[in-house]
Amino acid sequence: MKRRLVAAATIVVAAAAMSAGCGSSGSKSSGKVTLKFSSTAWQAPTVAANKKIVADWNAAHPNIQIQYIPVAADSVHDKLVTQFASNSAPDIVHDEAADIAGFAKQGYVIDLSSQIPADLKSGIPQGIWDSVTMDGKIYGLPSLLQSYVVFANKSLLDKAGVTAPTTSSPWTWQQFQAAAKKTTSGGTYGVGWGLKSPVSAVISTALNFGGKFFYTTGGKTTVQFGTAEQAVPQAIHNMIFTDKSLAPQTVGMAGTDVLPGFFAGKYAMIVGGNYLAQQMVQQAPKGFQWVMLPLLKGDSQQQMADPQTYSVAAQSKHPKEAMEFLDYFLSAEHLAQLAQGDWLAPASNQAAQAVLAGTKNQNGWDVVVDSAKSLVASPTVQLSDYPKWKDEIAKPALQEYLAGKIDLAALGKRLTDGWQKISAGG
């Protein structure tokens, strides 16, 4: 799920929608409870799956009815700000860990720890639970997760004599760079990487080398830019300017913008979110052979877990019923359906097995499912100032570094000084 941008205009729209009755904390009439469920699902298969699950629940539970309310993913933050402030929030909130954390700190969503069924709790890796836990309290149920993977044109790898890695033997970053150099030839770059918004990819893959960027000591959080944090941006920079294996024109593109060039053979590999596999299936030319490669490895394959989440509003008058629905909604069968619709990794092991059975490991699903075990909590998802630092400091600084306008030392200074200013209220 994409991070949300705060816009005053959207807040005005949200307020107007609320005044028309879009928000709710649950209602009860003649013994029937109606819960409002706001969802940011947007891919057609996922929306259809959501509506089917809700319809099936409503048919089987006449006294606990769910009202499904679609919300645009890029405006959910603004809408929730207004709804929480005016005591008109939906009972059940679909968001993401990095965004809902701020609302949790303000007390707008409840601690679900004591209400989570044992089978749901045990079926999700602890590293993913950690991403939705704050001060020992779980404020959202994790569902689907994104990772950053390499997609390759199998024909171009074969032509260059490059053997694709496997989940049991993934490429290191050094091997990836070597493969990129080997496949750069005759007008074809080894890699295309849409880095118009580079922060999430860098922050996430920095965990391959143990780079956290954010460190808290004695209650004070600082940004550090040591060897571990430098490894990924330096590797990307070297591929652009030293090896010349990464197409420089793609650095200013969005992730999906590189697909036409990939399909046309301009890049042997591209890097992006695993959800791009859906575009591969839908848009790749007939006969185009693409493969999804396992997560790259530094000291580990760890990446940031920022799952989609389902939370219960503190304003809801029916939290028990809301949790009953969420237990049903996030069953292995249902979560597998949602995962296949969004082409993301399901958080639970049971849902992962259902996905593998349903897809027969085709189109990269074995890699998508395998990636979940490497997703761990990052300090970023619980820092309320992180979104501002990301957009105002880190994004332009990384863009300039990858464009060759500043050096690594200047990048580090921008990142560290920028956080100090923002966290101090600047």
Side-chain angles (χ1 to χ4, degrees):
M1 193 185 294
K2 306 291 185 188
R3 290 261 169 76
R4 288 82 165 128
L5 301 177
V6 180
T10 310
I11 293 177
V12 172
V13 172
M18 264 195 336
S19 66
C22 290
S24 173
S25 59
S27 61
K28 188 172 183 179
S29 176
S30 303
K32 185 174 80 171
V33 171
T34 299
L35 303 177
K36 294 200 171 185
F37 168 31
S38 69
S39 171
T40 62
W42 63 274
Q43 303 249 39
T46 315
V47 172
N50 270 271
K51 291 183 176 180
K52 178 66 165 55
I53 296 169
V54 168
D56 289 347
W57 167 274
N58 285 341
H61 300 80
N63 291 326
I64 305 175
Q65 294 289 286
I66 305 299
Q67 181 182 352
Y68 181 79
I69 303 172
V71 179
D74 60 359
S75 65
V76 64
H77 176 90
D78 305 335
K79 196 172 186 73
L80 287 173
V81 166
T82 307
Q83 290 175 327
F84 282 134
S86 60
N87 198 35
S88 58
D91 300 88
I92 300 166
V93 177
H94 179 203
D95 200 355
E96 65 174 347
D99 191 49
I100 204 70
F103 296 122
K105 287 182 178 180
Q106 297 173 73
Y108 286 130
V109 294
I110 66 172
D111 174 19
L112 300 173
S113 305
S114 63
Q115 301 183 54
I116 301 172
D119 57 344
L120 178 60
K121 185 68 184 295
S122 63
I124 296 176
Q126 188 58 47
I128 296 176
W129 280 119
D130 290 344
S131 70
V132 292
T133 302
M134 188 181 304
D135 298 326
K137 300 176 180 179
I138 296 173
Y139 54 84
L141 302 180
S143 57
L144 306 179
L145 302 104
Q146 172 190 311
S147 57
Y148 291 93
V149 296
V150 178
F151 295 89
N153 180 326
K154 182 68 164 53
S155 298
L156 291 180
L157 290 190
D158 291 345
K159 182 180 178 181
V162 174
T163 302
T166 62
T167 53
S168 61
S169 183
W171 273 346
T172 64
W173 275 83
Q174 290 78 10
Q175 289 171 315
F176 169 56
Q177 289 174 264
K181 289 177 67 174
K182 199 168 183 180
T183 51
T184 299
S185 175
T188 295
Y189 282 95
V191 178
W193 195 339
L195 287 165
K196 183 178 181 179
S197 298
V199 185
S200 292
V202 169
I203 292 286
S204 184
T205 54
L207 289 170
N208 289 176
F209 301 93
K212 297 180 179 179
F213 282 88
F214 294 89
Y215 297 83
T216 301
T217 304
K220 180 178 175 60
T221 300
T222 59
V223 166
Q224 297 180 23
F225 194 62
T227 302
E229 288 77 25
Q230 294 171 16
V232 170
Q234 192 168 34
I236 298 172
H237 189 277
N238 288 344
M239 292 172 73
I240 298 170
F241 296 102
T242 304
D243 297 345
K244 301 188 185 303
S245 60
L246 197 165
Q249 67 270 24
T250 63
V251 175
M253 296 181 179
T256 55
D257 292 343
V258 301
L259 290 176
F262 181 56
F263 296 148
K266 293 182 179 179
Y267 329 117
M269 297 176 284
I270 62 172
V271 183
N274 48 16
Y275 62 86
L276 288 178
Q278 188 161 63
Q279 278 71 35
M280 301 283 179
V281 171
Q282 294 173 345
Q283 301 173 16
K286 185 177 181 179
F288 185 86
Q289 292 183 294
W290 63 272
V291 291
M292 185 192 300
L293 308 184
L295 306 190
L296 295 176
K297 183 178 181 180
D299 300 323
S300 73
Q301 290 177 277
Q302 289 185 352
Q303 290 191 26
M304 178 173 65
D306 182 14
Q308 294 182 28
T309 55
Y310 293 88
S311 302
V312 177
Q315 298 165 13
S316 175
K317 296 173 182 173
H318 306 286
K320 178 177 177 292
E321 291 86 350
M323 191 62 197
E324 287 178 19
F325 168 71
L326 286 177
D327 183 30
Y328 171 85
F329 185 81
L330 294 175
S331 70
E333 176 189 357
H334 295 153
L335 190 54
Q337 293 170 5
L338 298 173
Q340 290 177 67
D342 270 358
W343 220 288
L344 296 174
S348 84
N349 297 324
Q350 296 92 330
Q353 293 308 308
V355 167
L356 291 178
T359 61
K360 296 180 172 56
N361 289 355
Q362 295 178 349
N363 295 326
W365 274 110
D366 57 333
V367 174
V368 173
V369 168
D370 182 72
S371 70
K373 73 178 189 298
S374 298
L375 302 180
V376 298
S378 164
T380 60
V381 298
Q382 296 185 9
L383 293 170
S384 55
D385 287 327
Y386 172 73
K388 185 175 182 180
W389 176 84
K390 173 188 172 184
D391 292 336
E392 297 181 10
I393 304 298
K395 180 178 179 178
L398 278 166
Q399 286 174 332
E400 289 184 35
Y401 173 68
L402 297 179
K405 296 179 180 178
I406 60 174
D407 62 15
L408 195 65
L411 171 63
K413 182 171 176 55
R414 291 268 293 274
L415 297 178
T416 54
D417 290 355
W419 174 256
Q420 186 175 2
K421 179 180 179 181
I422 284 178
S423 61

